[in-house]
Amino acid sequence: MPGYRAPLRDMQFVLHELLHVEQALAQLPAHAELDADTINQVLEEGGKFAADILFPLNQSGDRAGCQFDAASHSVRTPSGFADAYRQYVASGWPSLSCDPDFGGQGLPVVMNNSFYEMLNAANQAWTMYPGLSHGAYECLRAHGTPEQKALYLPKLVSGEWTGTMCLTEPHCGTDLGLLKTRAEPQPDGSYRLTGSKIFISAGEHDLTPNIVHLVLARLPDAPPGTKGISLFVVPKHLPDAAGQPGERNPIFCGAIEHKMGIHGNATCQINLDGAQGWLIGEANRGLNAMFVMMNAARLGVGMQSLGLTEVAYQNAVAYARERTQGRSLSGPKAEDKPADPIIVHPDVRRMLLTARAYAEGGRAFTSYVALMIDRELNHPDEDVRQQAADEVALLTPIVKAFLTDNAWIACSEALQVYGGHGYIAEWGMEQYVRDSRINMIYEGTNTIQSLDLLGRKVLMDNGAKLRKFGEKIKAFIDENGTDEGMAEFITPLADIAEKMSKLSMEIGMKAFMNRDEVGAAAVPYLRVAGHLVFAFFFAQMAKIALSKQDSGDDFYKAKLATARFYFARLLPETAMLIRQARSGAQSLMAMEESLF
Ligand SMILES: Cc1cc2nc3c(=O)[nH]c(=O)nc-3n(C[C@H](O)[C@H](O)[C@H](O)COP(=O)(O)OP(=O)(O)OC[C@H]3O[C@@H](n4cnc5c(N)ncnc54)[C@H](O)[C@@H]3O)c2cc1C
């Protein structure tokens, strides 16, 4: 049976020693009063909820899955899910980082982010129900009319209702310009929506009496492609005069998918049969409005994968300490036993440290991005807000794709630590591998994230955002370049920063001649960018750990060892990735389609 404990010590290290969140938040009027003790207490309680309430439902939820009843179009979630959701709402967790004007607690995104890591580690499938609601909340808050906000936001904030995002259709996933769902204007100012959506997460369930669907559709006179897409709010039950769930709206679940992982989350086919909806934001600007939700969701998917990386790591370590096989090559370590625990073997350590480094690097990176979001939302100086927004835009595709790829690697390595037992359901590791796989696909596949990074965020911007972030790295290198103790981290960091900059320019030049060069380079390019960011954070963490070496606290010893492992064993992957990215489109495009 697997286990999970919240990594509170590492979270505190990242938040307080690395990012100094208390001081950073003090500059934001909305969070100026928040102190480190309060942050720690909230996360401690959040960790208990995740470990004690959600984690015990993870394996049973995976086995039971969701049950669909065609006659009533209803979905039953696995046993215990609805009760856990009731407790979640009763404790006020949904409102943690929401706007006090709508009943929220007004706490910063950076805190909510750490909380979500724990929820996802404990039970990704369950966490998707409140996770999608949070995205719907953000979208309506940014683009809803005052009436829409008043009607829906308090219910989403309290967790009384949940939300969804309905984009995908059978013939259109990545290319939303192809979508066909139609919205006909009605005399009363509402719209009637007709069409079919597929793969809608949390599209139907038994956790709440109402579900707020955010649906992309086309108006009758809309131009073709992405410029003709509008966004609508379509509640499952139309709110009555008192704002309570009233008449059933014809937006029905037609089936649920049987899938590889996240069995506890209902992935629904959603049929709209003249369902009543209301326009959110401007007509034909729906994708713009939906981007608010998609960006939040992309960071959210990164947090799903960070959670899985951490829980897989914790369990693999526990197993590697217990399991005895063979003897250490350098002589027996457990002489009182017939064999040594497998944690003595170098390659088992490589697997464990890979997962550990991906968890610790990912935690530092995502907490930083979340803090930048707080700055973007709340800093009094507009220039600072804009700079933060630019960084978030640049880093979001890296969070989504790099962390989800890393989790897939980490969960697979953690499974391998168990040998054959990893492949057996009872131990829980194969579920982590299965669950982690979807994170590379939804919210824009990782290929699409890579194209977003290289094409839109770097090349279309002439590298301006990348250069700005690079200046932060350069300042750190300059500040620590003469410190001999830091040389083992600064030298490779400076090296990869320089290579990344050259690589960006080289691809930019090639792209002038042939746009396929961007598509050919994007995926390895994003991974190089991910490593640059990780190297930056590991170097900063190593600096803190070095300064605390004599503190007697083993935490810093472990941090330093993990940073050294990262630089020695994971960062060198960039040499291969750069070669791949530079190899260009020729080897991919030369083969005629008919020869495949
Ligand atoms: C479990 C699950 C939950 C989901 N939840 C939701 C949800 O809540 N709401 C929602 O709206 N959708 C949801 N989705 C849909 C998901 O977002 C899409 O599956 C995803 O965006 C990919 O679309 P697609 O499946 O149509 O693949 P396609 O778009 O057909 O892509 C197929 C392959 O081609 C590649 N590709 C496509 N276009 C390009 C291009 N221009 N350049 C390079 N490569 C390209 C893709 O990267 C991919 O590898 C969910 C899907 C699953 C499986």
Side-chain angles (χ1 to χ4, degrees):
M1 285 286 280
Y4 174 66
R5 77 196 131 63
L8 295 171
R9 178 70 176 91
D10 199 49
M11 283 181 179
Q12 287 167 8
F13 169 79
V14 167
L15 296 180
H16 306 309
E17 295 181 66
L18 177 70
L19 300 177
H20 304 286
V21 288
E22 197 180 299
Q23 288 97 310
L25 293 171
Q27 299 165 10
L28 314 179
H31 306 304
E33 306 298 320
L34 193 63
D35 59 47
D37 283 348
T38 309
I39 294 175
N40 293 346
Q41 273 167 21
V42 173
L43 291 182
E44 202 174 309
E45 287 307 310
K48 282 185 202 154
F49 179 81
D52 300 345
I53 309 294
L54 295 187
F55 186 73
L57 301 174
N58 192 46
Q59 276 189 297
S60 57
D62 179 59
R63 273 187 226 115
C66 292
Q67 308 302 323
F68 174 64
D69 178 54
S72 60
H73 304 284
S74 63
V75 170
R76 191 154 41 84
T77 57
S79 171
F81 270 40
D83 190 48
Y85 189 80
R86 261 191 298 279
Q87 294 185 55
Y88 180 76
V89 170
S91 308
W93 289 115
S95 66
L96 206 62
S97 67
C98 296
D99 187 340
D101 284 351
F102 301 103
Q105 299 179 53
L107 289 164
V109 175
V110 68
M111 245 177 97
N112 204 42
N113 210 49
S114 300
F115 175 52
Y116 260 78
E117 180 202 316
M118 299 186 282
L119 299 184
N120 280 309
N123 196 327
Q124 173 171 329
W126 183 93
T127 304
M128 287 171 70
Y129 294 101
L132 265 297
S133 304
H134 198 78
Y137 154 81
E138 291 195 18
C139 185
L140 275 165
R141 183 164 168 259
H143 296 284
T145 61
E147 294 73 30
Q148 288 168 347
K149 289 182 188 181
L151 186 56
Y152 296 108
L153 289 185
K155 297 282 198 293
L156 289 170
V157 168
S158 66
E160 218 175 315
W161 298 351
T162 60
T164 71
M165 51 193 288
C166 301
L167 289 71
T168 308
E169 297 180 5
H171 59 285
C172 99
T174 300
D175 187 356
L176 290 169
L178 300 173
L179 77 79
K180 287 184 184 157
T181 297
R182 297 186 62 79
E184 298 284 345
Q186 303 299 302
D188 66 357
S190 70
Y191 295 80
R192 289 281 170 189
L193 280 83
T194 305
S196 263
K197 298 285 176 181
I198 60 163
F199 296 166
I200 304 309
S201 299
E204 183 57 60
H205 57 73
D206 54 3
L207 306 186
T208 56
N210 207 1
I211 301 174
V212 183
H213 299 282
L214 298 196
V215 182
L216 287 181
R218 248 176 223 298
L219 294 167
D221 57 352
T226 50
K227 292 198 167 78
I229 298 175
S230 303
L231 180 62
F232 299 85
V233 54
V234 186
K236 173 178 164 184
H237 288 274
L238 299 170
D240 63 18
Q244 294 305 313
E247 191 189 327
R248 184 70 166 89
N249 206 5
I251 175 166
F252 291 113
C253 177
I256 58 172
E257 304 298 341
H258 301 279
K259 55 195 193 288
M260 179 176 175
I262 52 164
H263 292 159
N265 195 270
T267 306
C268 302
Q269 225 178 70
I270 296 284
N271 301 320
L272 297 109
D273 198 4
Q276 193 173 14
W278 288 265
L279 185 68
I280 302 176
E282 286 175 50
N284 298 330
R285 302 268 299 155
L287 266 191
N288 235 40
M290 191 56 119
F291 259 117
V292 173
M293 190 165 181
M294 276 150 56
N295 274 335
R298 282 170 185 177
L299 181 60
V301 175
M303 298 318 290
Q304 294 182 323
S305 278
L306 176 55
L308 291 177
T309 303
E310 173 66 32
V311 70
Y313 165 73
Q314 287 186 14
N315 284 285
V317 171
Y319 189 81
R321 286 190 205 286
E322 292 294 319
R323 178 72 172 171
T324 52
Q325 290 291 297
R327 283 295 185 193
S328 161
L329 293 171
S330 55
K333 299 293 182 287
E335 286 181 0
D336 55 325
K337 294 190 179 138
D340 284 332
I342 58 173
I343 200 165
V344 304
H345 303 306
D347 197 59
V348 171
R349 288 170 160 255
R350 177 193 59 75
M351 294 188 272
L352 295 175
L353 282 162
T354 297
R356 182 178 179 125
Y358 281 149
E360 291 186 11
R363 188 168 297 120
F365 177 30
T366 52
S367 298
Y368 174 81
V369 175
L371 188 60
M372 285 300 118
I373 295 176
D374 283 317
R375 189 173 284 178
E376 174 187 352
L377 295 176
N378 293 302
H379 201 283
D381 183 332
E382 199 186 325
D383 286 346
V384 177
R385 284 204 303 275
Q386 187 55 52
Q387 268 179 32
D390 285 350
E391 258 191 53
V392 171
L394 177 77
L395 298 176
T396 297
I398 307 177
V399 167
K400 198 283 182 180
F402 193 57
L403 263 68
T404 58
D405 282 353
N406 290 349
W408 170 244
I409 296 166
C411 290
S412 176
E413 297 284 26
L415 180 149
Q416 187 81 6
V417 168
Y418 282 71
H421 301 274
Y423 204 70
I424 306 302
E426 180 194 346
W427 291 91
M429 302 309 286
E430 54 84 44
Q431 184 190 345
Y432 296 136
V433 175
R434 286 186 286 107
D435 284 358
S436 75
R437 191 62 184 82
I438 185 58
N439 300 344
M440 299 154 78
I441 298 171
Y442 56 24
E443 280 321 318
T445 64
N446 285 1
T447 303
I448 297 305
Q449 303 301 324
S450 308
L451 289 169
D452 180 41
L453 175 72
L454 178 57
R456 279 162 47 105
K457 307 286 167 60
V458 176
L459 299 181
M460 270 166 71
D461 181 52
N462 283 326
K465 290 189 188 74
L466 184 64
R467 265 195 307 281
K468 265 250 152 21
F469 187 67
E471 280 163 19
K472 285 196 174 175
I473 299 178
K474 187 173 176 309
F476 179 78
I477 292 170
D478 290 348
E479 193 184 309
N480 297 283
T482 53
D483 180 346
E484 265 182 43
M486 281 293 289
E488 61 179 309
F489 308 110
I490 294 296
T491 306
L493 173 62
D495 178 60
I496 189 64
E498 193 192 336
K499 286 183 172 143
M500 175 84 198
S501 157
K502 281 190 180 150
L503 181 63
S504 307
M505 277 193 287
E506 184 178 322
I507 300 169
M509 298 301 285
K510 283 191 194 167
F512 274 125
M513 315 293 290
N514 177 4
R515 292 301 289 175
D516 271 341
E517 293 291 344
V518 178
V523 167
Y525 179 89
L526 183 142
R527 231 180 133 68
V528 176
H531 276 299
L532 170 65
V533 176
F534 266 38
F536 180 41
F537 283 106
F538 267 117
Q540 294 175 71
M541 293 194 284
K543 182 179 171 171
I544 301 166
L546 279 170
S547 73
K548 299 277 178 71
Q549 266 192 115
D550 301 329
S551 66
D553 186 342
D554 282 348
F555 175 85
Y556 299 105
K557 241 193 209 171
K559 186 61 77 183
L560 202 52
T562 307
R564 286 184 169 135
F565 168 82
Y566 172 77
F567 279 95
R569 283 283 182 158
L570 300 182
L571 182 66
E573 183 195 7
T574 49
M576 178 194 74
L577 292 164
I578 290 171
R579 284 190 68 170
Q580 289 174 346
R582 294 187 66 193
S583 73
Q586 172 63 17
S587 64
L588 301 173
M589 306 312 282
M591 190 145 95
E592 286 161 33
E593 204 181 306
S594 60
L595 299 178
F596 273 94

